[in-house]
Amino acid sequence: MTDGFATSFTFKKPKGPAPAPFFTAEDLALADLQECRIWGVDPGVNEVFVAVDGSCPDIFGSQGAAANTQASHEIRKMSSSEYYHKAGFNRTNERIRVATEAAGIDKITSAIPSPATMNPDKLASYMKAVMASKKDLTTFYGNLLPKLRFLNYRGRQKTDDEMVNILLSGGAKYNSPSQKKKKKKNRKQSTQHTEFLVIRY
């Protein structure tokens, strides 16, 4: 099935293997804290995710207790507004708004009564208004939305990939020349072998 811009297929999804268990604090030994960078990952109030690296080896004393709470750490995150902007959702919404105003569709939709009612007469009025405007609405949105929906899909795929890169390696957001210079100035690079271990809260 296609709308002129994208094609959809129906496949049978095979049953995958059971997911591996997540790491917990009990799975870590004190030596692990000296060799790994442990990231705490959690969604924020206005962020898709916030990742914090608070496991600098200088923090932990001989018994694993916090010895230096002022040791530097790194924060990586992506806000919801940043995600919408990078994926192109805001640009798509603006194009829809401009197109609906230019074609007068906004006046048609604003004249349609709300379907949120328990009154049969008001519900009948809503259905009559929709049917009266059906041709104009389907013609307009049928020509406009398929392309924008496909662009949104591409933007979401690219932004999801970039979000994974930000979490694992910093991505372009945290590896720009200015960011590298700032990191070099504020944080002494460790010579130890570094691994990534993500703990989900």
Side-chain angles (χ1 to χ4, degrees), residues 145-161:
L145 292 186
K147 180 179 180 180
L148 297 181
R149 190 183 299 116
F150 181 65
L151 292 177
N152 276 356
Y153 171 78
R154 291 181 58 194
R156 184 170 63 250
Q157 293 288 95
K158 292 180 179 180
T159 306
D160 288 347
D161 289 343

Side-chain angles (χ1 to χ4, degrees), residues 21-200:
F22 289 110
F23 280 107
T24 64
E26 288 73 19
D27 297 319
L28 300 175
L30 180 60
D32 295 328
L33 301 179
Q34 303 296 330
E35 298 293 333
C36 300
R37 296 176 65 186
I38 303 177
W39 291 80
V41 184
D42 203 34
V45 177
N46 297 312
E47 289 82 19
V48 182
F49 78 90
V50 179
V52 180
D53 167 25
S55 64
C56 175
D58 295 337
I59 292 179
F60 300 98
S62 58
Q63 301 301 321
N68 180 10
T69 58
Q70 301 300 319
S72 61
H73 63 280
E74 187 176 354
I75 299 176
R76 298 173 184 172
K77 61 182 179 179
M78 176 174 282
S79 66
S80 299
S81 59
E82 181 183 3
Y83 182 90
Y84 295 150
H85 175 73
K86 286 181 174 293
F89 296 162
N90 296 334
R91 184 168 57 252
T92 296
N93 291 337
E94 179 63 16
R95 291 177 65 177
I96 292 176
R97 185 191 67 80
V98 172
T100 52
E101 290 181 355
I105 298 297
D106 59 328
K107 296 180 180 179
I108 295 177
T109 55
S110 62
I112 297 176
S114 173
T117 178
M118 296 295 292
N119 189 313
D121 294 332
K122 292 183 178 180
L123 187 59
S125 298
Y126 163 76
M127 296 176 64
K128 289 179 181 179
V130 170
M131 295 305 296
S133 306
K134 177 182 177 181
K135 183 177 180 180
D136 293 332
L137 294 176
T138 54
T139 300
F140 174 79
Y141 287 112
N143 293 329
L144 176 67
L145 292 186
K147 180 179 180 180
L148 297 181
R149 190 183 299 116
F150 181 65
L151 292 177
N152 276 356
Y153 171 78
R154 291 181 58 194
R156 184 170 63 250
Q157 293 288 95
K158 292 180 179 180
T159 306
D160 288 347
D161 289 343
E162 175 61 16
M163 188 163 56
V164 173
N165 289 334
I166 288 175
L167 175 61
L168 297 182
S169 64
K173 179 178 180 179
Y174 292 100
N175 288 318
S176 63
S178 59
Q179 287 290 337
K180 289 182 178 180
K181 185 177 181 180
K182 183 177 180 181
K183 288 181 182 179
K184 186 176 181 180
K185 180 180 179 181
N186 296 336
R187 181 177 182 178
K188 183 178 180 181
Q189 298 295 326
S190 174
T191 58
Q192 288 184 316
H193 174 66
T194 301
E195 297 178 357
F196 287 89
L197 177 61
V198 178
I199 296 181
R200 295 178 58 185

